[in-house]
PDB file of all heavy atoms in Angstrom:
ATOM      1  N   GLN A1225      -4.064  -8.143  51.636  1.00  0.00           N
ATOM      2  CA  GLN A1225      -3.904  -8.327  53.095  1.00  0.00           C
ATOM      3  C   GLN A1225      -4.922  -7.496  53.882  1.00  0.00           C
ATOM      4  O   GLN A1225      -5.575  -7.996  54.809  1.00  0.00           O
ATOM      5  CB  GLN A1225      -2.472  -7.950  53.507  1.00  0.00           C
ATOM      6  CG  GLN A1225      -2.167  -8.192  54.969  1.00  0.00           C
ATOM      7  CD  GLN A1225      -2.303  -9.670  55.344  1.00  0.00           C
ATOM      8  OE1 GLN A1225      -1.639 -10.518  54.761  1.00  0.00           O
ATOM      9  NE2 GLN A1225      -3.185  -9.991  56.290  1.00  0.00           N
ATOM     10  N   ILE A1226      -5.072  -6.248  53.492  1.00  0.00           N
ATOM     11  CA  ILE A1226      -6.008  -5.363  54.218  1.00  0.00           C
ATOM     12  C   ILE A1226      -7.438  -5.897  54.099  1.00  0.00           C
ATOM     13  O   ILE A1226      -8.172  -5.960  55.091  1.00  0.00           O
ATOM     14  CB  ILE A1226      -5.911  -3.914  53.670  1.00  0.00           C
ATOM     15  CG1 ILE A1226      -4.568  -3.293  54.084  1.00  0.00           C
ATOM     16  CG2 ILE A1226      -7.065  -3.055  54.164  1.00  0.00           C
ATOM     17  CD1 ILE A1226      -4.243  -1.982  53.377  1.00  0.00           C
ATOM     18  N   TYR A1227      -7.833  -6.309  52.911  1.00  0.00           N
ATOM     19  CA  TYR A1227      -9.210  -6.820  52.729  1.00  0.00           C
ATOM     20  C   TYR A1227      -9.416  -8.091  53.557  1.00  0.00           C
ATOM     21  O   TYR A1227     -10.480  -8.298  54.122  1.00  0.00           O
ATOM     22  CB  TYR A1227      -9.502  -7.087  51.247  1.00  0.00           C
ATOM     23  CG  TYR A1227      -9.756  -5.837  50.406  1.00  0.00           C
ATOM     24  CD1 TYR A1227      -9.597  -4.557  50.936  1.00  0.00           C
ATOM     25  CD2 TYR A1227     -10.172  -5.940  49.083  1.00  0.00           C
ATOM     26  CE1 TYR A1227      -9.821  -3.423  50.167  1.00  0.00           C
ATOM     27  CE2 TYR A1227     -10.420  -4.813  48.304  1.00  0.00           C
ATOM     28  CZ  TYR A1227     -10.231  -3.556  48.853  1.00  0.00           C
ATOM     29  OH  TYR A1227     -10.464  -2.435  48.094  1.00  0.00           O
ATOM     30  N   LYS A1228      -8.357  -8.931  53.620  1.00  0.00           N
ATOM     31  CA  LYS A1228      -8.465 -10.152  54.438  1.00  0.00           C
ATOM     32  C   LYS A1228      -8.635  -9.795  55.903  1.00  0.00           C
ATOM     33  O   LYS A1228      -9.421 -10.400  56.617  1.00  0.00           O
ATOM     34  CB  LYS A1228      -7.191 -11.012  54.277  1.00  0.00           C
ATOM     35  CG  LYS A1228      -7.296 -12.003  53.137  1.00  0.00           C
ATOM     36  CD  LYS A1228      -6.173 -13.048  53.182  1.00  0.00           C
ATOM     37  CE  LYS A1228      -6.221 -13.867  51.889  1.00  0.00           C
ATOM     38  NZ  LYS A1228      -4.907 -14.247  51.418  1.00  0.00           N
ATOM     39  N   ASN A1229      -7.863  -8.802  56.374  1.00  0.00           N
ATOM     40  CA  ASN A1229      -7.901  -8.412  57.791  1.00  0.00           C
ATOM     41  C   ASN A1229      -9.313  -8.073  58.256  1.00  0.00           C
ATOM     42  O   ASN A1229      -9.654  -8.241  59.422  1.00  0.00           O
ATOM     43  CB  ASN A1229      -7.008  -7.186  58.050  1.00  0.00           C
ATOM     44  CG  ASN A1229      -5.537  -7.514  57.940  1.00  0.00           C
ATOM     45  OD1 ASN A1229      -5.167  -8.683  57.874  1.00  0.00           O
ATOM     46  ND2 ASN A1229      -4.687  -6.485  57.904  1.00  0.00           N
ATOM     47  N   TYR A1230     -10.116  -7.521  57.335  1.00  0.00           N
ATOM     48  CA  TYR A1230     -11.445  -7.040  57.724  1.00  0.00           C
ATOM     49  C   TYR A1230     -12.585  -7.766  57.007  1.00  0.00           C
ATOM     50  O   TYR A1230     -13.728  -7.322  57.069  1.00  0.00           O
ATOM     51  CB  TYR A1230     -11.535  -5.518  57.474  1.00  0.00           C
ATOM     52  CG  TYR A1230     -10.587  -4.777  58.372  1.00  0.00           C
ATOM     53  CD1 TYR A1230      -9.322  -4.400  57.916  1.00  0.00           C
ATOM     54  CD2 TYR A1230     -10.917  -4.513  59.700  1.00  0.00           C
ATOM     55  CE1 TYR A1230      -8.423  -3.773  58.758  1.00  0.00           C
ATOM     56  CE2 TYR A1230     -10.030  -3.883  60.543  1.00  0.00           C
ATOM     57  CZ  TYR A1230      -8.780  -3.511  60.070  1.00  0.00           C
ATOM     58  OH  TYR A1230      -7.894  -2.894  60.914  1.00  0.00           O
ATOM     59  N   ASN A1231     -12.247  -8.880  56.354  1.00  0.00           N
ATOM     60  CA  ASN A1231     -13.263  -9.660  55.630  1.00  0.00           C
ATOM     61  C   ASN A1231     -14.074  -8.820  54.646  1.00  0.00           C
ATOM     62  O   ASN A1231     -15.274  -9.024  54.501  1.00  0.00           O
ATOM     63  CB  ASN A1231     -14.223 -10.360  56.602  1.00  0.00           C
ATOM     64  CG  ASN A1231     -13.505 -11.417  57.414  1.00  0.00           C
ATOM     65  OD1 ASN A1231     -12.648 -12.129  56.888  1.00  0.00           O
ATOM     66  ND2 ASN A1231     -13.827 -11.503  58.693  1.00  0.00           N
ATOM     67  N   PHE A1232     -13.420  -7.851  54.016  1.00  0.00           N
ATOM     68  CA  PHE A1232     -14.120  -7.104  52.961  1.00  0.00           C
ATOM     69  C   PHE A1232     -14.394  -8.060  51.797  1.00  0.00           C
ATOM     70  O   PHE A1232     -13.547  -8.907  51.473  1.00  0.00           O
ATOM     71  CB  PHE A1232     -13.252  -5.950  52.445  1.00  0.00           C
ATOM     72  CG  PHE A1232     -13.225  -4.745  53.347  1.00  0.00           C
ATOM     73  CD1 PHE A1232     -12.024  -4.248  53.818  1.00  0.00           C
ATOM     74  CD2 PHE A1232     -14.396  -4.087  53.705  1.00  0.00           C
ATOM     75  CE1 PHE A1232     -11.985  -3.120  54.636  1.00  0.00           C
ATOM     76  CE2 PHE A1232     -14.371  -2.961  54.527  1.00  0.00           C
ATOM     77  CZ  PHE A1232     -13.162  -2.484  54.990  1.00  0.00           C
ATOM     78  N   THR A1233     -15.549  -7.918  51.169  1.00  0.00           N
ATOM     79  CA  THR A1233     -15.881  -8.829  50.061  1.00  0.00           C
ATOM     80  C   THR A1233     -15.453  -8.256  48.706  1.00  0.00           C
ATOM     81  O   THR A1233     -15.576  -8.925  47.686  1.00  0.00           O
ATOM     82  CB  THR A1233     -17.400  -9.122  50.030  1.00  0.00           C
ATOM     83  OG1 THR A1233     -18.090  -7.872  49.964  1.00  0.00           O
ATOM     84  CG2 THR A1233     -17.828  -9.904  51.256  1.00  0.00           C
ATOM     85  N   THR A1234     -14.991  -7.027  48.686  1.00  0.00           N
ATOM     86  CA  THR A1234     -14.502  -6.421  47.435  1.00  0.00           C
ATOM     87  C   THR A1234     -13.370  -7.271  46.851  1.00  0.00           C
ATOM     88  O   THR A1234     -12.449  -7.663  47.578  1.00  0.00           O
ATOM     89  CB  THR A1234     -13.980  -4.990  47.708  1.00  0.00           C
ATOM     90  OG1 THR A1234     -15.044  -4.237  48.281  1.00  0.00           O
ATOM     91  CG2 THR A1234     -13.483  -4.315  46.438  1.00  0.00           C
ATOM     92  N   GLN A1235     -13.475  -7.564  45.554  1.00  0.00           N
ATOM     93  CA  GLN A1235     -12.446  -8.398  44.911  1.00  0.00           C
ATOM     94  C   GLN A1235     -11.327  -7.533  44.334  1.00  0.00           C
ATOM     95  O   GLN A1235     -11.595  -6.474  43.753  1.00  0.00           O
ATOM     96  CB  GLN A1235     -13.076  -9.229  43.791  1.00  0.00           C
ATOM     97  CG  GLN A1235     -14.083 -10.236  44.314  1.00  0.00           C
ATOM     98  CD  GLN A1235     -14.595 -11.130  43.209  1.00  0.00           C
ATOM     99  OE1 GLN A1235     -13.846 -11.633  42.379  1.00  0.00           O
ATOM    100  NE2 GLN A1235     -15.899 -11.330  43.197  1.00  0.00           N
ATOM    101  N   VAL A1236     -10.112  -8.012  44.506  1.00  0.00           N
ATOM    102  CA  VAL A1236      -8.948  -7.281  43.984  1.00  0.00           C
ATOM    103  C   VAL A1236      -8.748  -7.676  42.524  1.00  0.00           C
ATOM    104  O   VAL A1236      -8.511  -8.840  42.203  1.00  0.00           O
ATOM    105  CB  VAL A1236      -7.682  -7.579  44.809  1.00  0.00           C
ATOM    106  CG1 VAL A1236      -6.487  -6.819  44.253  1.00  0.00           C
ATOM    107  CG2 VAL A1236      -7.923  -7.242  46.280  1.00  0.00           C
ATOM    108  N   LEU A1237      -8.892  -6.689  41.647  1.00  0.00           N
ATOM    109  CA  LEU A1237      -8.795  -6.893  40.196  1.00  0.00           C
ATOM    110  C   LEU A1237      -7.500  -6.229  39.722  1.00  0.00           C
ATOM    111  O   LEU A1237      -7.460  -5.013  39.506  1.00  0.00           O
ATOM    112  CB  LEU A1237     -10.033  -6.269  39.531  1.00  0.00           C
ATOM    113  CG  LEU A1237     -10.386  -6.565  38.081  1.00  0.00           C
ATOM    114  CD1 LEU A1237     -11.792  -6.051  37.769  1.00  0.00           C
ATOM    115  CD2 LEU A1237      -9.411  -5.985  37.094  1.00  0.00           C
ATOM    116  N   ALA A1238      -6.444  -7.013  39.642  1.00  0.00           N
ATOM    117  CA  ALA A1238      -5.144  -6.446  39.246  1.00  0.00           C
ATOM    118  C   ALA A1238      -5.224  -5.998  37.787  1.00  0.00           C
ATOM    119  O   ALA A1238      -5.527  -6.806  36.902  1.00  0.00           O
ATOM    120  CB  ALA A1238      -4.046  -7.482  39.435  1.00  0.00           C
ATOM    121  N   ALA A1239      -4.974  -4.708  37.550  1.00  0.00           N
ATOM    122  CA  ALA A1239      -5.113  -4.129  36.214  1.00  0.00           C
ATOM    123  C   ALA A1239      -3.784  -3.541  35.757  1.00  0.00           C
ATOM    124  O   ALA A1239      -2.823  -3.503  36.524  1.00  0.00           O
ATOM    125  CB  ALA A1239      -6.196  -3.057  36.233  1.00  0.00           C
ATOM    126  N   SER A1240      -3.775  -3.117  34.497  1.00  0.00           N
ATOM    127  CA  SER A1240      -2.545  -2.583  33.909  1.00  0.00           C
ATOM    128  C   SER A1240      -1.430  -3.626  34.010  1.00  0.00           C
ATOM    129  O   SER A1240      -0.300  -3.311  34.365  1.00  0.00           O
ATOM    130  CB  SER A1240      -2.172  -1.249  34.584  1.00  0.00           C
ATOM    131  OG  SER A1240      -1.053  -0.652  34.004  1.00  0.00           O
ATOM    132  N   LEU A1241      -1.783  -4.869  33.708  1.00  0.00           N
ATOM    133  CA  LEU A1241      -0.797  -5.970  33.698  1.00  0.00           C
ATOM    134  C   LEU A1241      -0.155  -5.993  32.319  1.00  0.00           C
ATOM    135  O   LEU A1241      -0.848  -6.135  31.317  1.00  0.00           O
ATOM    136  CB  LEU A1241      -1.492  -7.307  34.011  1.00  0.00           C
ATOM    137  CG  LEU A1241      -2.262  -7.379  35.334  1.00  0.00           C
ATOM    138  CD1 LEU A1241      -2.890  -8.757  35.534  1.00  0.00           C
ATOM    139  CD2 LEU A1241      -1.375  -7.018  36.522  1.00  0.00           C
ATOM    140  N   ARG A1242       1.143  -5.859  32.276  1.00  0.00           N
ATOM    141  CA  ARG A1242       1.825  -5.660  30.995  1.00  0.00           C
ATOM    142  C   ARG A1242       2.566  -6.884  30.495  1.00  0.00           C
ATOM    143  O   ARG A1242       2.995  -6.929  29.354  1.00  0.00           O
ATOM    144  CB  ARG A1242       2.828  -4.512  31.129  1.00  0.00           C
ATOM    145  CG  ARG A1242       2.243  -3.216  31.687  1.00  0.00           C
ATOM    146  CD  ARG A1242       1.755  -2.316  30.593  1.00  0.00           C
ATOM    147  NE  ARG A1242       1.187  -1.092  31.116  1.00  0.00           N
ATOM    148  CZ  ARG A1242       1.906  -0.055  31.566  1.00  0.00           C
ATOM    149  NH1 ARG A1242       3.225  -0.097  31.563  1.00  0.00           N
ATOM    150  NH2 ARG A1242       1.290   1.023  32.013  1.00  0.00           N
TER     151      ARG A1242
END
Side-chain angles (χ1 to χ4, degrees):
Q1225 184 61 58
I1226 290 169
Y1227 284 6
K1228 270 193 189 144
N1229 290 349
Y1230 295 96
N1231 294 321
F1232 282 124
T1233 55
T1234 302
Q1235 295 185 45
V1236 180
L1237 193 169
S1240 184
L1241 303 181
R1242 307 269 179 78

